[in-house]
Amino acid sequence: MDAAGSQVADECAQYAGQYQNGFITTDGGKLLCSKIIHLISDNQVKSQVSKVLHECEGKMYKSVAFPAIGTGQAGQSSAKVADEMLDAIVEFARQKSVQHLQKIKIVIFKTNMLKDFYESMKKREDSDSSTTESWLSMLKSFFFPKKHSAEKKKFMSLEKKVNLVTFQICGKSQEAVDATESWIKDLILKEQFENIISDEAIDSFDETQVAILEDLQRGKQVTIELLNKLSPSQIKISGISRDVCSVSLEVQEMIQQIKSSEEVQYKAELLYNLVEWRYSARNNSFLAFDKLTNMHLEYANMAEKRYLNVKIKNKNYKVDLNTLTATDDQGKTIHLQRVTKDEGKL
């Protein structure tokens, strides 16, 4: 309230007792927003978040930012608050009538709460992974702006594999030839198997994964089709049953590696929105670490570790988290900064 200024405090005093649906709305004052919605505390976090979201949609607001409601003076656990806030957001996002509200932020001032919110999001994806669009993907689209349409997924293609085998069948009669042909076809069909793997992570396959698939196709008795024009994308594997099974396992491992990498990157992105680690450069300036190193530094700091090894411009440094210094192999020392980000903008 202090940051918003006396104008907002005066409006709150003016509207006191006139609130409807458990909140009142004032101008943004000195804050970088057009409106402030003031909630009347009742510990019903899910209900409050839902009311605010519908109010924003009704007023055609494009974005809204929430604090971690109830984790301050109300003393509610961040895990419980995370579940209730995300429940409300998921239910709101599922409504086809939503047209105006495009971005939802939850501002977390304490980094130790980040894990509870992330686990709450992850729990929803794990419990309902069969839906067309996973809860985690849906929540990502609300917490972060969508990428520009220029970044549409690339349509990768595999080299087609054609192995022709010709049988010449000779016999005493046409009936004998036909019977032999039928017998051969039955043998081939008994050995043939087909498996289709469908997963959103296939959209992230690039030249590296395609090259691996082509190597598998050349080395095994299988044909692999990359059906990435479907949603979600699919990989179709057909051929000798034993090879189809082994190739399918390798493809699943590739998909899991993609998901693990994306999960780490997503955690790093979440954390980067809260805190930024920097190292000293020329002219007394400081440069930001990359997001993955930023995440490792913050996790080490949260775990109260003393030292962490990092790379700065391809050189090895040993970071002392107590003194916020980093020393390279030659003994040269540079200073670090840990800066908590201002999430006031909407």
Side-chain angles (χ1 to χ4, degrees), residues 72-116:
Q73 293 183 350
Q76 297 193 58
S77 74
S78 56
K80 174 179 177 292
V81 167
D83 285 341
E84 293 197 25
M85 293 189 74
L86 295 179
D87 281 345
I89 292 171
V90 167
E91 290 179 9
F92 177 79
R94 293 181 65 184
Q95 298 177 16
K96 295 181 179 179
S97 59
V98 177
Q99 296 179 352
H100 304 289
L101 190 57
Q102 298 175 2
K103 184 164 63 173
I104 300 170
K105 287 185 179 181
I106 298 179
V107 182
I108 304 170
F109 292 105
K110 297 181 179 179
T111 53
N112 61 313
M113 293 184 185
L114 181 65
K115 181 179 179 182
D116 290 325

Side-chain angles (χ1 to χ4, degrees), residues 149-184:
S149 58
E151 297 186 32
K152 291 179 180 178
K153 67 178 182 180
K154 295 181 292 185
F155 292 110
M156 312 296 293
S157 61
L158 283 173
E159 179 183 316
K160 290 188 177 180
K161 179 177 182 179
V162 180
N163 290 331
L164 296 179
V165 177
T166 302
F167 290 91
Q168 290 185 338
I169 306 172
C170 301
K172 294 181 180 180
S173 64
Q174 185 63 44
E175 291 178 357
V177 170
D178 290 343
T180 303
E181 180 183 357
S182 178
W183 175 74
I184 292 173

Side-chain angles (χ1 to χ4, degrees), residues 167 183-193 239-240:
F167 290 91
W183 175 74
I184 292 173
K185 286 181 177 178
D186 286 343
L187 283 179
I188 293 173
L189 289 174
K190 285 178 181 178
E191 282 295 315
Q192 292 295 303
F193 186 68
I240 303 294

Side-chain angles (χ1 to χ4, degrees), residues 20-284:
Q20 295 180 347
N21 295 322
F23 61 83
I24 60 175
T25 303
T26 67
D27 287 333
K30 295 180 180 179
L31 298 182
L32 298 177
C33 60
S34 59
K35 298 290 182 182
I36 303 174
I37 296 177
H38 304 265
L39 298 173
I40 310 302
S41 178
D42 62 4
N43 291 331
Q44 301 298 318
V45 174
K46 180 180 177 181
S47 174
Q48 289 184 313
V49 172
S50 180
K51 288 176 181 178
V52 170
L53 292 175
H54 285 90
E55 174 72 6
C56 291
E57 176 66 16
K59 297 294 185 181
M60 296 187 289
Y61 299 147
K62 291 184 178 180
S63 64
V64 61
F66 292 91
I69 298 173
T71 57
Q73 293 183 350
Q76 297 193 58
S77 74
S78 56
K80 174 179 177 292
V81 167
D83 285 341
E84 293 197 25
M85 293 189 74
L86 295 179
D87 281 345
I89 292 171
V90 167
E91 290 179 9
F92 177 79
R94 293 181 65 184
Q95 298 177 16
K96 295 181 179 179
S97 59
V98 177
Q99 296 179 352
H100 304 289
L101 190 57
Q102 298 175 2
K103 184 164 63 173
I104 300 170
K105 287 185 179 181
I106 298 179
V107 182
I108 304 170
F109 292 105
K110 297 181 179 179
T111 53
N112 61 313
M113 293 184 185
L114 181 65
K115 181 179 179 182
D116 290 325
F117 276 84
Y118 180 81
E119 291 300 327
S120 183
M121 294 171 71
K122 186 65 178 169
K123 183 168 57 180
R124 284 159 175 74
E125 183 182 43
D126 293 340
S127 64
D128 200 359
S129 58
S130 62
T131 54
T132 303
E133 181 180 24
S134 71
W135 295 128
L136 188 57
S137 298
M138 183 183 294
L139 288 167
K140 282 181 185 178
S141 69
F142 272 87
F143 286 131
F144 302 105
K146 293 183 178 179
K147 294 183 178 179
H148 195 270
S149 58
E151 297 186 32
K152 291 179 180 178
K153 67 178 182 180
K154 295 181 292 185
F155 292 110
M156 312 296 293
S157 61
L158 283 173
E159 179 183 316
K160 290 188 177 180
K161 179 177 182 179
V162 180
N163 290 331
L164 296 179
V165 177
T166 302
F167 290 91
Q168 290 185 338
I169 306 172
C170 301
K172 294 181 180 180
S173 64
Q174 185 63 44
E175 291 178 357
V177 170
D178 290 343
T180 303
E181 180 183 357
S182 178
W183 175 74
I184 292 173
K185 286 181 177 178
D186 286 343
L187 283 179
I188 293 173
L189 289 174
K190 285 178 181 178
E191 282 295 315
Q192 292 295 303
F193 186 68
E194 180 180 285
N195 186 31
I196 296 177
I197 300 172
S198 177
D199 201 290
E200 290 178 355
I202 297 172
D203 291 343
S204 299
F205 276 29
D206 58 19
E207 289 83 357
T208 301
Q209 284 77 35
V210 170
I212 294 173
L213 292 177
E214 288 179 339
D215 285 343
L216 289 171
Q217 186 172 241
R218 283 191 289 267
K220 302 285 187 178
Q221 296 296 314
V222 296
T223 298
I224 303 175
E225 294 181 66
L226 188 54
L227 309 174
N228 54 7
K229 292 185 179 181
L230 301 176
S231 183
S233 294
Q234 296 179 353
I235 292 177
K236 181 179 177 181
I237 308 165
S238 53
I240 303 294
S241 57
R242 65 176 182 274
D243 285 350
V244 169
C245 290
S246 65
V247 170
S248 295
L249 290 174
E250 293 198 50
V251 170
Q252 292 285 12
E253 185 175 342
M254 290 166 61
I255 289 173
Q256 188 56 48
Q257 289 174 351
I258 291 281
K259 286 184 173 181
S260 298
S261 176
E262 289 182 343
E263 183 173 330
V264 170
Q265 292 173 12
Y266 183 49
K267 285 181 178 179
E269 183 73 35
L270 282 173
L271 200 55
Y272 190 73
N273 288 333
L274 299 176
V275 63
E276 182 177 280
W277 284 81
R278 302 170 181 172
Y279 60 91
S280 59
R282 294 179 180 178
N283 301 322
N284 296 321

